[in-house]
Amino acid sequence: MNRQMTVTQLSRYLKGVFDDEELLHDVTLSGEVSDVSYSDKHTFLVLSEGGFSVRCIHFSSRDKIEKGARVALRGSVGFYDKRTSVTFTYTEFFIQGVGDMNIKLAELKQKLSALGYFENRPQLPKYIVSVAVITSPDGAAICDFMRVVHDKNPFVDIKVYPSKVQGEGAAAQIAEAINKLQTYNTDAIVLCRGGGSDEDLGCFNDETLAVAVANSRIPIISAVGHEIDYTLCDYCAGTRAGTPSIAGEIVNSRASAILTDLFQAIFAVRNAVKSKYDREVMLVNKLGRATTASVSTRIYNGYHKLRFVTAKGAFGLQNRLSVKSNRLSSEVKNMRQALSAKLSDGKAKVDKLSSLLGALDPHRIIKVGYAAVLRSGQRVMAAAEIASGDEVGLVFADGVATAKITNVKRENKE
């Protein structure tokens, strides 16, 4: 006979079944603690064994129980009808030792350490312009990572490789993705997953996945869980990030270094040209002052010599004075012409250096509408260096843009 029931009726019926069942009262439940949390004065545990788990609660007590411990809890099985869930409420607990899960994890960690998988991992390069992120495409973790990176460095190319990040088969999928990416041209691989319980993060303690991380030739950033969570992948990776957002900041530090070094190089060139220009101007000014002083001294000496000769008052000397005066005037004229020629040469050099300085000023070129083209961090000097489909960076006077080449037409020079 078919019965019609509302959700409320079903929940209350099940609660009554649990309350009336004597076998569910005064029970000692044993297992391994896979998660511990607290609220007000209450203790919340997740007790696990053989792939099964049950949520346990101790009201009005904050028990000092660590994750991974094997415990026995004395209490009763209840049914919380508001959430339609089974809960074990305990009043006493007994520590029985270390759980099997913790023992196995410690043994695996020691094994991998002995094999050298925790040392000499590939480190991140100085510059990062592309990253491959292995994560769940629908999770909040990848959104946080991409927001942090693109807020500061929108030119960084982020490729997302979808994968399960918890549950059965997740470790195998992530390991397979890492192995496939070894042939891909990227600066770093990011393992990205938000926080969760030890059970949720369990796949990142898988031996196969840890070995794949350790053997990667491409530097790996392990951004799994919260800052307090450590997995085997964290030890095997070259770089650990406490959260996906921290991983984004690590990428930013390497991406921003590209722009910093580029502008430093531009300023160095500009300062070098300006220094050479200043030296040439000083040399011309010094030459002009020396020439002027020499001419002035010779004119002054000739003038006094002329007055001395004139003072003798001889007619013959007057004629000689005229000859000397004419010769002196000729010398002065020649000296003025020589000085004028040197000053003209100096001015020509100054003008030439000024033109060179203006031509070499990268800011002048960029400010009139031109842009520097970068591919893989290297400046593109000719159309022959790029091909259709390439992604390039365009450096303008006020920022940087990313573009994709759709067509390349080269001039045929014979």
Side-chain angles (χ1 to χ4, degrees):
M1 180 177 65
N2 179 265
R3 295 180 182 273
Q4 291 188 354
M5 302 180 70
T6 65
V7 172
T8 301
Q9 289 173 336
L10 176 61
S11 297
R12 288 178 176 174
Y13 173 77
L14 291 175
K15 180 173 176 20
V17 171
F18 276 78
D19 291 343
D20 294 339
E21 179 56 64
E22 293 295 330
L23 291 176
L24 301 180
H25 299 287
D26 196 14
V27 176
T28 298
L29 183 67
S30 61
E32 187 171 335
V33 179
S34 59
D35 193 28
V36 180
S37 60
Y38 303 96
S39 174
D40 296 328
K41 296 181 179 181
H42 309 327
T43 302
F44 298 93
L45 304 177
V46 176
L47 212 58
S48 303
E49 185 175 26
F52 298 92
S53 61
V54 62
R55 185 173 176 81
C56 308
I57 183 172
H58 191 181
F59 291 105
S60 301
S61 178
R62 294 174 66 89
D63 301 328
K64 294 183 179 180
I65 302 177
E66 296 182 356
K67 288 190 291 186
R70 186 163 187 83
V71 299
L73 308 178
R74 184 175 180 178
S76 300
V77 181
F79 185 82
Y80 185 36
D81 53 352
K82 299 294 184 182
R83 294 183 180 175
T84 318
S85 61
V86 177
T87 304
F88 187 83
T89 304
Y90 70 95
T91 56
E92 293 181 276
F93 71 92
F94 307 93
I95 303 296
Q96 296 180 324
V98 180
D100 294 338
M101 190 182 302
N102 262 21
I103 294 175
K104 290 179 180 179
L105 183 60
E107 291 175 348
L108 180 56
K109 181 179 176 182
Q110 185 176 4
K111 173 185 174 181
L112 296 178
S113 177
L115 293 173
Y117 287 159
F118 295 170
E119 301 175 355
N120 302 321
R121 299 301 95 204
Q123 298 300 301
L124 296 175
K126 182 178 180 181
Y127 303 130
I128 290 181
V129 295
S130 66
V131 291
V133 184
I134 303 174
T135 187
S136 171
D138 301 323
I142 184 60
C143 295
D144 292 342
F145 176 80
M146 296 183 72
R147 175 183 53 78
V148 170
V149 174
H150 283 167
D151 277 354
K152 293 183 179 179
N153 297 288
F155 63 88
V156 175
D157 182 27
I158 301 176
K159 290 287 194 304
V160 178
Y161 286 80
S163 173
K164 293 178 62 176
V165 290
Q166 74 178 66
E168 185 177 355
Q173 280 192 20
I174 299 172
E176 182 181 3
I178 292 174
N179 293 331
K180 287 183 177 179
L181 284 172
Q182 298 309 299
T183 60
Y184 187 76
N185 185 21
T186 187
D187 297 320
I189 297 173
V190 180
L191 301 184
C192 188
R193 193 220 188 276
S197 65
D198 285 0
E199 185 177 1
D200 294 336
L201 304 180
C203 66
F204 294 95
N205 286 320
D206 181 82
E207 181 176 4
T208 300
L209 175 54
V211 171
V213 172
N215 289 331
S216 174
R217 67 169 185 84
I218 300 174
I220 290 182
I221 302 175
S222 179
V224 177
H226 299 298
E227 292 191 57
I228 60 173
D229 298 318
Y230 271 84
T231 66
L232 291 180
C233 287
D234 293 327
Y235 293 105
C236 292
T239 304
R240 176 187 181 266
T243 65
S245 296
I246 294 176
E249 293 295 349
I250 292 173
V251 171
N252 277 337
S253 66
R254 267 78 177 172
S256 299
I258 300 174
L259 300 179
T260 300
D261 290 354
L262 176 62
F263 284 116
Q264 285 180 349
I266 292 174
F267 292 146
V269 171
R270 187 186 67 176
N271 292 337
V273 173
K274 184 178 184 300
S275 177
K276 182 173 178 61
Y277 170 79
D278 292 341
R279 287 198 301 270
E280 291 296 334
V281 170
M282 290 177 60
L283 179 61
V284 171
N285 290 337
K286 182 179 180 180
L287 179 61
R289 289 193 297 270
T291 304
T292 301
S294 176
V295 172
S296 297
T297 300
R298 295 188 65 178
I299 292 175
Y300 179 80
N301 292 337
Y303 171 73
H304 279 279
K305 185 176 181 181
L306 179 62
R307 289 191 62 187
F308 176 76
V309 173
T310 302
K312 287 186 170 268
F315 179 76
L317 291 178
Q318 183 66 37
N319 291 335
R320 293 179 64 186
L321 177 61
S322 297
V323 174
K324 290 285 186 180
S325 178
N326 292 335
R327 184 181 300 173
L328 181 60
S329 296
S330 178
E331 290 181 358
V332 170
K333 182 178 180 181
N334 291 338
M335 289 179 184
R336 286 178 176 174
Q337 291 176 347
L339 174 60
S340 178
K342 283 185 174 293
L343 291 176
S344 296
D345 290 342
K347 185 176 183 302
K349 288 183 179 180
V350 171
D351 292 341
K352 184 177 180 181
L353 289 172
S354 297
S355 299
L356 178 61
L357 176 62
L360 291 178
D361 187 355
H363 285 85
R364 181 188 68 81
I365 297 174
I366 291 178
K367 285 180 179 178
V368 298
Y370 290 91
V373 182
L374 305 177
R375 182 174 71 86
S376 300
Q378 301 296 322
R379 187 174 180 183
V380 177
M381 303 299 294
E385 298 180 9
I386 58 177
S388 179
D390 286 350
E391 290 190 357
V392 298
L394 303 178
V395 181
F396 295 93
D398 60 347
V400 180
T402 301
K404 186 173 184 180
I405 302 300
T406 60
N407 185 37
V408 178
K409 183 177 181 181
R410 303 181 179 90
E411 293 185 3
N412 186 16
K413 296 183 179 180
E414 297 183 354

